[in-house]
Amino acid sequence: MDKPRIYVDLNEMVTEDIVLLSKEDTKMDSEGNVVVFYDKMPVFIYSDDGSAAGETDYLLADGIAINYDLNDYPEWKHVKWCVCIDWSSLIHESDLKLL
């Protein structure tokens, strides 16, 4: 990866630009560092994806950590932090290597 990133599951979208991030105030990044979240913190994320050949090709994006009210989503009430994704930053890891 180009920099340490935090894993998110893009199947856990709350709205069209908000995805679940963490149920705790901390989460480990791709390099094993513990990241402590605060509101409006810039975050760099990645999610699973694959190439047409079936190889791993992570999706990478930037966003902002937010303490989002999930009371209307009973299945996610335990989640404390979400990330508001900047969709214009979304890129496959393999495409980033071509730049």
Side-chain angles (χ1 to χ4, degrees), residues 37-87:
F37 300 114
Y38 59 88
D39 203 35
K40 298 191 174 126
M41 172 184 174
V43 291
F44 308 103
I45 60 172
Y46 73 101
S47 189
D48 298 318
D49 203 19
S51 70
E55 298 172 344
T56 299
D57 192 8
Y58 294 117
L59 285 168
L60 311 177
D62 302 340
I64 303 292
I66 56 174
N67 194 327
Y68 194 76
D69 181 5
L70 293 167
N71 284 328
D72 291 338
Y73 305 88
E75 68 276 16
W76 293 331
K77 285 194 321 190
H78 64 287
V79 177
K80 185 171 185 179
W81 293 98
C82 292
V83 59
C84 183
I85 298 173
D86 173 7
W87 287 113

Side-chain angles (χ1 to χ4, degrees), residues 11-67:
N11 293 311
E12 296 177 331
M13 297 297 300
V14 178
T15 68
E16 64 185 33
D17 61 348
I18 296 175
V19 67
L20 302 180
L21 180 60
S22 179
K23 62 182 179 179
E24 306 290 332
D25 287 328
T26 62
K27 192 169 182 180
M28 202 168 297
D29 69 19
S30 58
E31 293 187 352
N33 304 304
V34 175
V35 178
V36 179
F37 300 114
Y38 59 88
D39 203 35
K40 298 191 174 126
M41 172 184 174
V43 291
F44 308 103
I45 60 172
Y46 73 101
S47 189
D48 298 318
D49 203 19
S51 70
E55 298 172 344
T56 299
D57 192 8
Y58 294 117
L59 285 168
L60 311 177
D62 302 340
I64 303 292
I66 56 174
N67 194 327

